[in-house]
């Protein structure tokens, strides 16, 4: 079992090199024996279940790089070949379990996951069973489908079900090796590029419907791959995956049926976005006793953005907004200056705007350092802690800013409160995140809203400049199945 994962924004200016995999989380042969991070969560579950069933378990690498731009070719090939070398040393094996993202792209490889699975299949042969767990922001290719036996995709966004899906994959893949089930997989291409937020209706009910279909009438597993919009690859877009017990026609029919249901929900599942000024106006009228939480989705590090865009901060300053907290700004230089200056120091500081056009211009402020720590963390996905490195909380005329040294989206309030920055006395909290903040921030918010600001992962899906996608898609065309071009 192994993890090899990252999510690639092919439009991001930040290359993904060795350090991205080695410094964030990298384990060799023992990932499941470490506290949960992200990449090792499935490995922990698979070891627990495998040992309980009396299996011999061999681990290879466990590494999950922060989303960014294209992975360097040599880096991907080195990690893949390390995994394959460990697999060859472990042969013969009956089952291979892989945690892959599904949207990893390297120079020369549009489909890293399919390539990795194909290399695994070449080593283990036809009899061994290969199970793959994927992030729901995945590209689903024919290579992935035909070279694996079972693919299970997260159902929840934010991803609160990583461990649950790992247990499901283990059961199905081991069951297939024992001959208890004969999984076959079918896709349905929804020809849609969008974001689907599963805590909200009608997606909440649709997720329940997927779960209710499983384990009945020969249906083993149902997944909805939302796709990763900011990947310029031939297979970008959303697809339904159905795993049936030996009956491909049944899998195909159900996948098509569910795909039609998703299509019919397209307007109801589209996220409304505020402009920056609309969001500020709404916050100025907030008297609920809890802050409005606003997601700066276009600067989400979890989709490959730099997390140093200043478009929202600049407008907050211009409009003299008070009682607002915003973060997490990836600005290690500014964070280090604050650590050196110390709590209580007041000085001029240049914040953000360092990584290119999508980051905007830096904002110059006179700040007071309110809190610092040499090693900051926040609660991560599905348990564990996410590293943020040296960090600082600074205030400039009622605007409270969190500066971090490790590029990471905002997951949880302790990214702010861990430095001493309260949120319960704020009118507005702006998080650089797309959706993974939701589970932890919604309980402390009067409401959650989303803003379409300037950044590297803007939500205008019709305008993404694809060069490799040949299939028409909504919302670029009104009906990609009939060819209608009227939006």
């Amino acid at each position: 079992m192994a993890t090899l994962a990252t999510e690639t924004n092919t439009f991001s200016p930040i290359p993904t090199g060795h350090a991205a995999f080695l410094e964030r989380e990298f384990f060799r042969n023992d990932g499941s024996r470490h506290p949960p991070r992200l990449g090792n969560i499935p490995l922990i579950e698979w070891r627990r279940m495998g040992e309980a069933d009396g299996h011999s378990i061999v681990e290879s690498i466990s590494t999950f790089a922060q989303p960014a731009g294209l992975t360097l070719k040599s880096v991907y090939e080195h990690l893949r070949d390390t995994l394959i070398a460990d697999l060859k040393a472990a042969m013969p094996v009956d089952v291979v379990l892989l945690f892959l993202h599904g949207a990893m792209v390297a120079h020369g490889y549009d489909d890293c996951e399919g390539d990795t699975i194909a290399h695994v299949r070449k080593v283990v042969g036809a009899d061994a069973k290969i199970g793959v767990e994927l992030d729901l922001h995945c590209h689903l290719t024919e290579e992935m489908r035909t070279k694996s036996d079972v693919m299970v995709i997260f159902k929840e966004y934010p991803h609160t079900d990583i461990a649950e899906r790992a247990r499901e994959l283990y059961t199905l893949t081991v069951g297939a090796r024992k001959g208890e089930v004969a999984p076959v997989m079918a896709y349905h291409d929804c020809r849609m590029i969008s974001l689907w937020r599963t805590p909200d209706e009608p997606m909440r009910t649709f997720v329940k419907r997927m779960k209710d279909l499983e384990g009945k009438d020969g249906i083993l597993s149902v997944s909805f791959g939302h796709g990763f919009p900011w990947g310029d690859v031939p297979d970008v877009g959303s697809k339904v995956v159905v795993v049936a017990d030996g009956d491909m026609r049944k899998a195909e029919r159900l996948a098509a049926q569910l795909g039609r249901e998703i299509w019919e929900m397209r307007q109801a599942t589209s996220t409304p976005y505020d402009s920056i000024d609309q969001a500020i106006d709404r916050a100025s009228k907030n008297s609920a006793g809890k802050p409005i939480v606003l997601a700066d989705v276009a600067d989400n590090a979890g989709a490959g953005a730099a997390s140093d865009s200043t478009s929202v901060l600049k407008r907050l300053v211009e409009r003299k907004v008070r009682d607002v907290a915003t973060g997490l700004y990836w600005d290690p230089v500014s964070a280090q200056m604050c650590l050196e200056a110390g709590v209580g120091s007041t000085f001029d500081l240049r914040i953000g705007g360092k990584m290119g056009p999508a980051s905007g211009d830096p904002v110059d402020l006179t700040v007071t350092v309110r809190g610092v720590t040499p090693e900051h963390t926040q609660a991560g996905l599905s348990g564990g802690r996410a590293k943020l490195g040296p960090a600082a909380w600074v205030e400039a005329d009622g605007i409270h800013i969190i500066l971090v040294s490790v590029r990471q989206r905002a997951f949880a309030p302790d990214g702010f409160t861990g430095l001493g920055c309260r949120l319960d006395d704020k009118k507005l909290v702006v998080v650089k995140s797309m959706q993974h903040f939701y589970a932890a921030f919604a309980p402390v918010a009067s409401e959650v809203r989303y803003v379409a600001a300037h950044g590297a992962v803007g939500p205008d899906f019709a305008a993404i400049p694809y060069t490799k996608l040949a299939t028409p898609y909504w919302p670029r065309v009104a009906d990609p199945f009939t060819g209608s071009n009227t939006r």
Side-chain angles (χ1 to χ4, degrees), residues 199 290-291 293 411 413 437-448:
K290 290 183 176 182
V293 172
F411 283 133
F437 72 94
Y438 188 92
F441 277 91
V444 303
S446 60
E447 62 177 321
V448 173

Side-chain angles (χ1 to χ4, degrees), residues 9-10 23 26 39 60 163-164 217 222 252 286 317 353 368 379 382-383 387 450 459 472:
N9 181 334
T10 60
E23 293 178 0
F26 182 88
S60 181
E164 184 180 355
D217 194 29
V222 179
E252 292 171 342
N286 179 24
V317 172
T368 299
S382 294
K387 291 183 178 180
Y450 304 86

Side-chain angles (χ1 to χ4, degrees), residues 102-301:
M104 181 179 181
V105 185
H107 291 280
Y109 296 91
D110 282 343
D111 178 19
C112 290
E113 286 81 5
D115 178 70
T116 297
I117 297 167
H119 274 77
V120 170
R121 177 60 72 192
K122 186 176 180 180
V123 173
V124 302
D127 292 336
K129 302 302 178 184
I130 302 173
V132 181
E133 181 171 5
L134 297 168
D135 189 297
L136 55 76
H137 295 118
C138 54
H139 313 306
L140 292 164
T141 69
E142 276 299 292
E143 187 88 332
M144 294 164 66
R145 187 184 71 85
T146 58
K147 294 299 193 293
S148 64
D149 294 284
V150 183
M151 289 191 295
V152 170
I153 302 173
F154 307 162
K155 287 181 169 63
E156 300 291 352
Y157 181 41
H159 306 325
T160 56
D161 62 333
I162 298 173
E164 184 180 355
R165 300 284 77 78
R167 293 190 290 270
E168 176 187 343
L169 180 71
Y170 174 94
T171 299
L172 291 178
T173 311
V174 172
R177 185 63 182 89
K178 292 179 177 179
E180 298 169 350
V181 291
V184 293
M185 292 187 290
Y187 288 164
H188 174 79
D189 187 349
C190 298
R191 299 190 180 183
M192 302 171 68
I193 293 177
S194 187
L195 291 176
W196 288 266
R197 303 181 190 279
T198 60
D200 303 330
E201 293 292 356
M203 283 306 297
R204 183 76 261 137
T205 296
F206 186 79
V207 170
K208 182 178 184 302
R209 172 160 162 68
M210 286 195 292
K211 292 179 179 180
D212 289 344
L213 288 165
E214 295 174 329
K216 301 171 186 174
D217 194 29
I219 300 300
L220 301 176
S221 177
V222 179
S223 298
F224 175 38
H226 296 197
F228 181 64
W230 300 278
D232 187 13
V233 295
D235 291 282
V236 62
S238 55
K239 292 183 176 72
V240 177
V241 184
V242 173
V243 185
D245 191 0
D247 191 334
M248 181 62 81
R249 290 288 300 276
K250 181 177 289 186
E252 292 171 342
R253 286 195 299 269
L254 180 57
Q257 177 186 331
L258 294 173
R260 287 191 294 270
E261 293 178 18
I262 293 167
W263 170 257
E264 293 300 325
M265 295 189 296
R266 64 192 180 281
Q267 299 297 341
T269 54
S270 294
T271 301
Y273 293 96
D274 294 331
S275 69
I276 299 174
D277 282 317
Q278 286 173 333
I280 292 173
D281 290 343
R282 193 173 188 90
S284 68
K285 301 172 184 175
N286 179 24
S287 59
K290 290 183 176 182
I292 291 174
V293 172
L294 181 70
D296 181 6
V297 300
D299 198 31
N300 170 37

Side-chain angles (χ1 to χ4, degrees), residues 459-475:
D460 185 356
F461 304 115
I464 297 175
Y466 298 120
T467 65
K468 298 181 179 181
L469 176 61
T471 306
Y473 72 92
W474 180 89

